[in-house]
Amino acid sequence: LRAVRQDVRGGASMADALSRHALYFPDLYIASVRAGEQSGNLPEVLQRYIAYLKLIIGLRQKMMKALAYPAFLVVVGVAVVAFLLTYVLPTFSAVYGDAAVKLPPATKALLALIGAIQAHLVLAAIAVAAVIGAVKLWLRTPSGRALWDRTSLSLPLIGEVLVNHYTVQFSRTLATVLAAGTPLVTALPIVREAVTNRFVGAGLAAATERVREGGTLAAALTEVQILPRLALEMIAVGEETGSLETMLRDVAELYEGDLDQRLNQLTTWIEPALLLIMGVVVGAIVIIMYLPIFQMAGTVR
């Protein structure tokens, strides 16, 4: 900020001064400031940008909140199963060995599995770490990230949530840039940088070229097929009536409501499903551990 102030005192525009420090100031913010300076309504443009940030941050928080509890259940479930397999089950194994009890096949198989894991724990940990590292490196490559982003949009349940999320992100960002007075052809590359999905970003790049060639935004987006049909129809109506900015805000509000509903449905279904899976796994382990005791009780009778 001190460097920006010094550049402005030296005669540079605020947008130009900010653009020299792109590491700290997003392209969308710089474009908003530039449009505000050119139109003479910089305070109003900055207020719109602040409102946009609040909405996007709220959207991100909704996504994180929806995933937080299921993630917590998964962590707790894995911890419980690991405790049973690494501490409780070996204790039962020692007791059965001292008592010379004939073990059922299921108990033998589970004990053999635990023994194999303990014997090769270091190798297993190295293999898991190597797989995770390889996946992370692959996701950092352009092709890997693009393939993952495209595949994630087709996943059952989660894919629809992500499509709605990126639809809101696109429409809200484009409406904010257009409201600042930026032309559509200039605004689309800025929006592309703001969208975090590489597949959607590639579609926006192709749509931008079609718009530069004279096509409408709705037609260009329809060709690349990165937005839902209803959103495309609303954008087409906005272009025909000359109210694209207003229609984009309507699209964002519509899909924000749909996103809230889908997130609620997703969490409503995921939580009992995870609890059921955890209960089945833990119950199966406990039953397998107690099978020899049940057999001993039957023998006594």
Side-chain angles (χ1 to χ4, degrees):
L1 287 174
R2 286 194 295 267
V4 170
R5 181 181 61 181
Q6 188 66 28
D7 292 339
V8 171
R9 284 178 175 175
S13 66
M14 186 175 176
D16 290 338
L18 292 171
S19 63
R20 297 171 187 171
H21 308 278
L23 181 63
Y24 303 101
F25 303 103
D27 292 339
L28 178 60
Y29 176 65
I30 296 173
S32 300
V33 171
R34 190 181 306 280
E37 287 181 314
Q38 293 174 353
S39 60
N41 60 344
L42 182 58
E44 181 181 352
V45 170
L46 291 177
Q47 288 294 336
R48 290 175 181 171
Y49 182 78
I50 292 172
Y52 161 80
L53 278 185
K54 290 180 179 179
L55 292 170
I56 293 298
I57 292 173
L59 178 64
R60 189 181 301 118
Q61 288 175 344
K62 289 178 184 177
M63 296 286 290
M64 297 301 296
K65 184 179 179 180
L67 298 175
Y69 186 62
F72 173 75
L73 289 179
V74 171
V75 172
V76 172
V78 171
V80 171
V81 172
F83 174 75
L84 290 175
L85 295 181
T86 59
Y87 179 76
V88 179
L89 194 58
T91 303
F92 274 77
S93 176
V95 172
Y96 295 149
D98 295 338
V101 178
K102 185 179 180 181
L103 300 178
T107 306
K108 286 183 178 180
L110 186 58
L111 292 175
L113 175 62
I114 298 304
I117 293 176
Q118 291 178 342
H120 304 88
L121 183 60
V122 176
L123 293 178
I126 294 175
V128 171
V131 170
I132 295 175
V135 171
K136 287 184 176 180
L137 291 175
W138 177 71
L139 289 177
R140 290 179 181 178
T141 62
S143 59
R145 179 64 184 275
L147 179 59
W148 168 252
D149 287 346
R150 181 172 185 175
T151 304
S152 63
L153 297 179
S154 304
L155 295 175
L157 298 178
I158 299 177
E160 295 180 355
V161 172
L162 293 176
V163 168
N164 286 352
H165 171 70
Y166 293 124
T167 300
V168 173
Q169 196 176 42
F170 164 78
S171 55
R172 184 72 70 184
T173 305
L174 183 56
T176 301
V177 179
L178 293 177
T182 305
L184 178 61
V185 177
T186 306
L188 287 175
I190 300 173
V191 176
R192 178 191 174 191
E193 295 298 326
V195 174
T196 53
N197 188 286
R198 297 288 181 88
F199 175 72
V200 177
L204 287 177
T208 302
E209 295 302 321
R210 288 171 172 79
V211 172
R212 283 199 179 104
E213 295 171 358
T216 63
L217 177 61
L221 292 175
T222 301
E223 290 183 15
V224 296
Q225 298 180 352
I226 56 174
L227 296 181
R229 181 178 177 181
L230 179 57
L232 296 173
E233 292 176 352
M234 294 176 68
I235 291 173
V237 172
E239 286 187 300
E240 292 173 0
T241 58
S243 56
L244 179 58
E245 175 195 336
T246 303
M247 191 59 72
L248 285 169
R249 297 186 188 279
D250 291 341
V251 170
E253 293 176 0
L254 173 65
Y255 280 91
E256 279 176 356
D258 189 56
L259 180 62
D260 285 339
Q261 181 180 359
R262 291 187 181 276
L263 286 176
N264 291 332
Q265 292 176 347
L266 188 63
T267 53
T268 301
W269 283 98
I270 284 180
E271 291 171 12
L274 288 176
L275 289 174
L276 178 61
I277 293 172
M278 288 168 53
V280 170
V281 172
V282 173
I285 293 175
V286 172
I287 290 174
I288 291 174
M289 288 190 301
Y290 277 94
L291 277 178
I293 296 179
F294 297 153
Q295 287 187 349
M296 292 171 60
T299 303
V300 171
R301 288 180 183 179

